[in-house]
Amino acid sequence: MATYMIPCLLGLEKLVGDEVKRLGLKNVRVENGRIFCDGTPDDCARLNINLRCGARVLLVLGEFPARSFEELFQGVKAIAWEDYLPRDGAFPVKGYSITSQLHSAPACQSIVKKAMVERLKSRYGLEQFPETGVKYQVRFSIFKDQVVIGLDGSGEGLYKRGYRAVGVEAPLRETLAAAMVLLSRYRGRDPFCDPFCGSGTIPIEAALIAKNRAPGLDRSFDAQRWSFLPQRAWLDAAEEAMDKEFSGAYDIWGGDIDPRAIEIARSNAVKAGVEDCVRFEVADMKDFRRDSQYGQLVTNPPYGERLMDRAEAEELYRELGRVWRCLPQGWRTLVLSSHTEFERTFGRPADKKRKLYNGMLKCDLFMYGNV
């Protein structure tokens, strides 16, 4: 049995917990900014390939309290690192500490590394380790004096799906875009529109969700090279994911006033293999109209933080509010913004609000309609 920890953006914990449950993993525990679960070694592949909203997948090797460097050293040294790391394995260490006695992350980092080296010295009879082989990224977190330490199976964050080679300014992380689509309860039946689509991330994630295509099928993960994990697990997980894909006709649309953004969005859709499901057009949000009784409008307009000044952003929100009021009542609308005056300028308080983070930027997801 293996224990996994999946960190995620604050505000997405329940969504990630639900994803993990749907994959059939056991003992799912949802905490602030992270999810724990129990599974088999093969589940490392299944989690990495299938998760839409998680940040990365860590195989947990130890959990223990530590209020001193000595306790941290002994706790790390007690882990059977030799069962996971070969003699030539590279084992860089990263981590953080929050509200704990051991508050210096760099000091903790060097203690973790030292304890690992001491353990491996006695097991491999080496004084120095070449670290020229496969990378086993070690990650630790210390929260309220509780240490969790393990190996990062993802490598690059899971938001890097592999379809976005270039982006326009101020891109939205794919994991957050997928979360917005899921929160709109889009399942592939109604029209789905994003009038500020930029490089196409939200419509592309909507297409992946509509097709039930696993987001990690077209990329590689660090754990694929780990000697203690069976290679066939990755083939089995990919096959299982592909067997669950749907095919159908979908009405997914992205518009943006910038022709270059639309060019990039179309190219990204091709890389993601969803160009047949998504229509991208150079279009001004002011001209957006839809007659269908039901649909989803999910968007991440400029905030007035980086792409334009606040006055311009507010005028944009006023216009978006006017457009929204012309939509049929059955539409669900979700708008992500960090602007504190969004509801006032949009012209109506949200039916529901959810705090989310776009990178380090604190935002609200303003939700209108039956959400």
Side-chain angles (χ1 to χ4, degrees):
M1 190 58 81
T3 297
Y4 295 98
M5 182 177 94
I6 300 124
C8 65
L9 289 169
L10 289 169
L12 303 189
E13 295 89 347
K14 187 182 180 305
L15 283 178
V16 178
D18 289 345
E19 285 194 273
V20 171
K21 284 173 190 166
R22 278 197 298 276
L23 285 171
L25 281 91
K26 305 290 180 227
N27 195 17
V28 178
R29 288 98 68 204
V30 175
E31 294 185 6
N32 266 355
R34 58 192 192 176
I35 287 82
F36 289 89
C37 60
D38 297 337
T40 66
D42 290 9
D43 286 322
C44 184
R46 296 178 67 241
L47 287 165
N48 272 299
I49 286 171
N50 288 286
L51 287 179
R52 294 186 193 282
C53 303
R56 54 184 66 253
V57 177
L58 272 73
L59 173 63
V60 176
L61 302 184
E63 291 182 67
F64 53 88
R67 289 175 191 82
S68 67
F69 287 134
E70 182 58 24
E71 285 178 330
L72 179 62
F73 183 89
Q74 294 303 337
V76 173
K77 196 178 170 193
I79 295 167
W81 294 102
E82 66 279 2
D83 292 348
Y84 304 97
L85 273 60
R87 297 166 77 94
D88 66 343
F91 49 101
V93 177
K94 281 183 187 171
Y96 64 87
S97 177
I98 300 171
T99 56
S100 299
Q101 296 284 315
L102 300 174
H103 52 84
S104 164
C108 293
Q109 211 168 306
S110 60
I111 294 289
V112 168
K113 183 84 174 185
K114 192 175 168 191
M116 289 179 68
V117 168
E118 282 304 307
R119 169 89 190 200
L120 292 169
K121 264 187 192 177
S122 64
R123 295 306 187 275
Y124 284 135
L126 291 173
E127 270 309 301
Q128 282 190 313
F129 290 86
E131 297 199 46
T132 51
V134 169
K135 184 173 80 167
Y136 293 76
Q137 178 67 62
V138 178
R139 287 190 186 266
F140 68 86
S141 63
I142 309 175
F143 181 60
K144 292 185 177 172
D145 301 321
Q146 275 294 123
V147 181
V148 178
I149 188 162
L151 297 175
D152 177 354
S154 301
E156 289 199 297
L158 294 183
Y159 71 92
K160 294 205 171 175
R161 315 284 207 223
Y163 65 72
R164 193 165 72 185
V166 285
V168 289
E169 273 188 274
L172 182 72
R173 281 202 168 175
E174 290 84 334
T175 42
L176 182 52
M180 289 166 67
V181 176
L182 291 171
L183 289 167
S184 79
R185 295 197 272 148
Y186 174 66
R187 297 293 179 270
R189 284 185 290 277
D190 306 324
F192 183 98
C193 301
D194 177 2
F196 296 101
C197 74
S199 56
T201 309
I202 293 174
I204 289 170
E205 290 298 322
L208 292 171
I209 286 166
K211 289 172 80 75
N212 201 34
R213 173 171 293 172
L217 280 172
D218 294 328
R219 57 159 284 181
S220 60
F221 305 95
D222 276 8
Q224 284 173 284
R225 301 175 68 207
W226 292 351
S227 53
F228 64 88
L229 284 184
Q231 271 303 303
R232 58 158 189 79
W234 298 91
L235 296 170
D236 291 351
E239 258 177 49
E240 176 197 44
M242 288 188 284
D243 285 346
K244 290 179 178 171
E245 277 188 29
F246 308 138
S247 60
Y250 306 104
D251 181 3
I252 303 170
W253 178 88
D256 202 282
I257 203 162
D258 178 0
R260 184 176 153 269
I262 292 300
E263 206 178 295
I264 292 167
R266 285 177 182 148
S267 160
N268 288 345
V270 170
K271 290 190 196 88
V274 295
E275 72 277 14
D276 57 330
C277 313
V278 191
R279 202 159 42 91
F280 287 111
E281 285 180 340
V282 178
D284 190 328
M285 174 273 296
K286 293 172 187 169
D287 304 325
F288 181 78
R289 300 284 181 277
R290 285 295 182 275
D291 299 325
S292 54
Q293 199 183 343
Y294 297 100
Q296 271 88 0
L297 190 160
V298 180
T299 194
N300 172 43
Y303 298 162
E305 297 273 345
R306 288 171 285 185
L307 295 187
M308 52 167 58
D309 67 31
R310 283 178 75 84
E312 286 177 304
E314 287 184 10
E315 182 48 44
L316 209 61
Y317 297 156
R318 263 190 286 277
E319 198 59 58
L320 181 60
R322 283 195 281 272
V323 163
W324 174 79
R325 281 187 282 280
C326 296
L327 285 173
Q329 276 195 333
W331 278 67
R332 288 193 196 106
T333 297
L334 278 69
V335 184
L336 185 73
S337 178
S338 67
H339 199 303
T340 49
E341 296 295 308
F342 174 80
E343 288 164 293
R344 180 182 62 76
T345 51
F346 185 77
R348 189 181 136 178
D351 295 316
K352 218 189 256 183
K353 267 197 298 197
R354 196 176 179 126
K355 282 206 178 341
L356 294 173
Y357 281 80
N358 184 8
M360 296 306 290
L361 196 58
K362 189 173 158 192
C363 299
D364 279 295
L365 186 63
F366 298 96
M367 304 164 83
Y368 295 88
N370 178 23
V371 279

